[in-house]
Amino acid sequence: MIRDRRVAMRIELTPGMTNVVRFPIERRAKPSMDLVREIAPDSREVSLVIESFGFDDDIDGIRDAADQDMAEYITEKGARLSGSKGQAELDRLLQPIVERAVSLCREAHDASLAAVKAQRLVVEAQSEGGYWLTPLSERASARTFYAGRLLVDAHLACQRAAGASRAIEIAKRGESWAPFDLHAEALAMCVDELTARSSHR
């Protein structure tokens, strides 16, 4: 019987993955930013997985970097155009990024289900013993590791999509891009909400 603490931790974390990435909505829905926001892995879960598996991914700042990269690309390529032609060009820039994020979320979900199934086989075999326990445990460990890796990759892809989407939305409105400011964004949301409430009185 394998007594690897990291394997045990992975087994505990994996069921949470199946709850974080909500499916099978993406099997029917067309890839979009709304869908990405709906199925994106929880950043807290991702941080736990990175710590558990010892991955060296730095997930901080990925969204902001993608935001700036897309803004610079738009400026260089002159994609910020007026009219429907410019809007369509900007949409085309975002689509493959969104599709990749959705695809990775799907793969992460499927991998987590496979890992949970393999882990259950190990639990069942432990009560019976036998020569097959070691290979079953090794396979469960490998599948859980793979599911964890895909969960992190899916998170990174969703963050890149969110960053690129922000830059593109700014360009579509014909506004000048500026780095994301959490306090300014929160203030703007509060002002919008107060304005909306005042207009309904």
Side-chain angles (χ1 to χ4, degrees):
M1 178 176 177
I2 296 179
R3 296 288 185 178
D4 190 331
R5 181 174 178 273
R6 292 181 302 166
V7 172
M9 188 179 299
R10 294 170 195 169
I11 291 175
E12 292 171 4
L13 287 172
T14 303
M17 298 178 195
T18 63
N19 295 326
V20 171
V21 186
R22 295 168 291 280
F23 290 86
I25 183 174
E26 109 296 359
R27 310 289 187 186
R28 305 183 303 272
K30 180 180 178 181
S32 66
M33 274 310 303
D34 286 339
L35 180 59
V36 170
R37 295 184 188 100
E38 178 68 20
I39 66 177
D42 188 295
S43 59
R44 294 166 297 183
E45 176 76 11
V46 173
S47 295
L48 286 173
V49 169
I50 288 175
E51 181 181 358
S52 172
F53 288 84
F55 294 145
D56 59 0
D57 299 82
D58 183 4
I59 61 176
D60 296 328
I62 295 295
R63 178 174 177 170
D64 291 342
D67 183 5
Q68 183 173 351
D69 288 346
M70 179 57 74
E72 292 175 352
Y73 179 84
I74 290 172
T75 300
E76 292 173 3
K77 299 297 181 181
R80 180 161 44 183
L81 305 172
S82 60
S84 58
K85 182 179 179 180
Q87 299 285 306
E89 175 65 22
L90 291 167
D91 287 338
R92 281 194 291 272
L93 287 176
L94 182 61
Q95 194 59 30
I97 302 173
V98 168
E99 289 176 353
R100 173 170 172 75
V102 172
S103 177
L104 282 172
C105 284
R106 177 192 300 123
E107 292 179 27
H109 174 260
D110 291 346
S112 69
L113 292 181
V116 169
K117 183 177 180 180
Q119 292 158 9
R120 287 173 180 165
L121 290 176
V122 172
V123 172
E124 294 172 0
Q126 284 174 344
S127 62
E128 300 176 6
Y131 66 91
W132 60 85
L133 180 57
T134 296
L136 284 177
S137 297
E138 290 175 349
R139 182 169 65 176
S141 178
R143 289 190 174 181
T144 305
F145 182 91
Y146 180 61
R149 179 66 261 171
L150 283 179
L151 183 74
V152 176
D153 290 344
H155 171 74
L156 294 174
C158 289
Q159 288 296 300
R160 291 188 182 102
S165 175
R166 177 180 183 271
I168 287 173
E169 287 302 316
I170 290 173
K172 290 171 74 172
R173 294 194 300 267
E175 300 174 359
S176 298
W177 179 86
F180 179 80
D181 185 326
L182 179 61
H183 297 293
E185 294 286 339
L187 179 60
M189 289 178 64
C190 290
V191 171
D192 290 343
E193 184 176 350
L194 290 173
T195 302
R197 288 181 179 180
S198 299
S199 65
H200 285 89
R201 291 178 180 175

